[in-house]
Amino acid sequence: MESVLSRYENQITILSDYLEEFPDTDEPVWILGRQHHLNEDKSKLLLDVSARLWFTYRRKFSPIDWQWEKHKKQPEEYHRILHCFLDRKDCCYSIHQMAQMGVGEGKSIGEWFGPNTVAQVLKKLALFDEWNSLAVYVSMDNTVVIEDIKKMCRSPPQSSSTAHSSAHLHRSALGRNRNAAGLCTGWKPLLLIIPLRLGINHINPVYIDAFKECFKMPQSLGALGGKPNNAYYFIGFLGNELIYLDPHTTQSFVDSEENGTVDDQSFHCQQAPHRMKIMNLDPSVALGFFCKEECDFDNWCSLVQKEILKQQSLRMFELVQKHPPHWPPFIPPTKPEVTTTGAELIESTDKLFELEEEFEILSV
């Protein structure tokens, strides 16, 4: 028992040393909806940061270009979040899948993705993620449509009985949202992504307060952005500085063990996070929010109305109840019938989004 306490005390000491880089201030620090006070306990802040998943560059993983390997046995369905992000061709959100799906967005393999491209790629890949069964909504033309989101999250779109059965079993295993009477509410967990342009060449100062307010929301997943050709994951702010995790640390490829576990040490940033002046932020960003239940989304809408839309001019984005009449009809995306992989899978998925993407281009 004493040795356990000793190791814990040593860890706190190390964490406190890392936080020496933070200034002595009475201003609160906001990290993905949680408030911290540096003058009370700095170590809690770093423990909060280190608990977040940190995805960085990797080396020594298998090549991205697909090659058939004779007698290769496909792995079992992954049951943990980290498995979905392993740098393997058969993992839903691996660098291989991201790169290949990016081809459909006009990005060659190895080309840099902007925040909007990342959002569109995640939206497509989520259709094949039967384990999580996420409903991914990417806003269009700086507008979030409540009616469309509720239509998507309340419906169970699947293209085949097999996919429906798999997703049904998974949601049952996780325990779907239930009301007080124990009945399923039928709400699919929502990943809401809002790509934005907060200026022309530099961020417009008028958006700063609203941007910072988003990190206070309990539904916040932070923001994607950074500087030209330098992508960061922003998780909070302190005063007029943004706090971010930097993926530009190359680490060795990590695979799952025979028992299905993953060595997760390299997936957690165990040092002080980076900071940058908010005015140095590239104006192209993407906000992320997660609403597990419908009440979470309703609460998010209330917070947006109160904190984001209170400004009458130059709003960061709009939140509307009804689908704009001049937009094409909203159809919740469904997983296409796919019996092949590689380029044919990408082509099949791209057809699903062709009209939507064309309208996006026209809107811009």
Side-chain angles (χ1 to χ4, degrees), residues 109-172:
I109 291 179
E111 190 174 352
W112 189 77
F113 286 12
N116 183 62
T117 301
V118 172
Q120 298 299 335
V121 167
L122 288 176
K123 178 180 177 180
K124 292 181 178 181
L125 289 177
L127 295 176
F128 301 91
D129 185 1
E130 296 173 1
W131 177 60
N132 282 302
S133 300
L134 280 174
V136 181
Y137 180 91
V138 180
S139 67
M140 185 170 60
D141 199 19
N142 291 0
T143 303
V144 176
V145 182
I146 297 175
E147 179 183 52
D148 293 347
I149 288 178
K150 296 211 169 187
K151 179 179 180 180
M152 178 175 63
C153 291
R154 287 172 175 170
S155 63
Q158 294 289 343
S159 61
S160 67
S161 58
T162 302
H164 176 78
S165 175
S166 174
H168 173 76
L169 289 174
H170 170 67
R171 287 195 297 269
S172 298

Side-chain angles (χ1 to χ4, degrees), residues 288-304:
F289 303 94
F290 176 69
C291 301
K292 181 180 179 181
E293 301 177 2
E294 186 169 6
C295 61
D296 297 323
F297 177 64
D298 292 338
N299 174 258
W300 179 84
C301 292
S302 298
L303 291 173
V304 169

Side-chain angles (χ1 to χ4, degrees), residues 63-340:
I64 291 176
D65 293 334
W66 180 82
Q67 289 184 340
W68 178 72
E69 297 181 34
K70 190 175 182 179
H71 304 308
K72 180 180 179 182
K73 181 181 179 180
Q74 296 300 319
E76 297 293 326
E77 182 184 8
Y78 292 134
H79 297 287
R80 295 180 177 86
I81 293 176
L82 279 182
H83 291 182
C84 298
F85 291 89
L86 293 179
D87 294 320
R88 293 165 47 163
K89 304 169 196 173
D90 48 11
C91 295
C92 190
Y93 302 106
S94 68
I95 186 67
H96 306 76
Q97 296 290 353
M98 294 281 287
Q100 289 180 348
M101 198 63 79
V103 173
E105 295 295 319
K107 299 290 185 180
S108 301
I109 291 179
E111 190 174 352
W112 189 77
F113 286 12
N116 183 62
T117 301
V118 172
Q120 298 299 335
V121 167
L122 288 176
K123 178 180 177 180
K124 292 181 178 181
L125 289 177
L127 295 176
F128 301 91
D129 185 1
E130 296 173 1
W131 177 60
N132 282 302
S133 300
L134 280 174
V136 181
Y137 180 91
V138 180
S139 67
M140 185 170 60
D141 199 19
N142 291 0
T143 303
V144 176
V145 182
I146 297 175
E147 179 183 52
D148 293 347
I149 288 178
K150 296 211 169 187
K151 179 179 180 180
M152 178 175 63
C153 291
R154 287 172 175 170
S155 63
Q158 294 289 343
S159 61
S160 67
S161 58
T162 302
H164 176 78
S165 175
S166 174
H168 173 76
L169 289 174
H170 170 67
R171 287 195 297 269
S172 298
L174 289 181
R176 289 186 290 177
N177 304 322
R178 298 178 179 275
N179 58 24
L183 300 176
C184 179
T185 61
W187 176 267
K188 295 181 65 178
L190 169 68
L191 173 59
L192 169 59
I193 306 176
I194 308 177
L196 298 170
R197 185 84 188 177
L198 303 180
I200 301 177
N201 297 317
H202 304 281
I203 186 171
N204 190 329
V206 74
Y207 297 120
I208 289 179
D209 288 342
F211 187 72
K212 288 160 60 175
E213 284 295 328
C214 291
F215 292 100
K216 297 181 181 181
M217 298 178 181
Q219 300 86 356
S220 175
L221 293 179
L224 299 178
K227 297 180 289 188
N229 296 320
N230 279 290
Y232 302 138
Y233 173 37
F234 296 97
I235 60 174
F237 71 93
L238 168 60
N240 286 319
E241 290 185 322
L242 293 174
I243 299 171
Y244 66 93
L245 299 181
D246 186 356
H248 302 93
T249 297
T250 304
Q251 304 183 92
S252 295
F253 164 69
V254 174
D255 204 350
S256 57
E257 304 291 343
E258 290 185 2
N259 61 1
T261 62
V262 175
D263 183 358
D264 64 351
Q265 290 298 307
S266 64
F267 287 99
H268 295 272
C269 182
Q270 301 181 58
Q271 58 188 8
H274 296 275
R275 290 177 289 143
M276 66 176 282
K277 297 291 184 183
I278 195 169
M279 286 304 298
N280 293 335
L281 178 67
D282 186 272
S284 180
V285 299
L287 299 172
F289 303 94
F290 176 69
C291 301
K292 181 180 179 181
E293 301 177 2
E294 186 169 6
C295 61
D296 297 323
F297 177 64
D298 292 338
N299 174 258
W300 179 84
C301 292
S302 298
L303 291 173
V304 169
Q305 292 282 358
K306 179 181 177 182
E307 304 296 343
I308 306 299
L309 303 184
K310 60 184 178 183
Q311 190 166 327
Q312 296 301 313
S313 60
L314 287 178
R315 292 174 172 173
M316 192 164 61
F317 61 86
E318 296 291 340
L319 177 67
V320 299
Q321 185 68 44
K322 296 293 184 180
H323 186 86
H326 60 283
W327 284 14
F330 177 78
I331 302 175
T334 59
K335 177 182 176 182
E337 292 284 358
V338 176
T339 57
T340 56

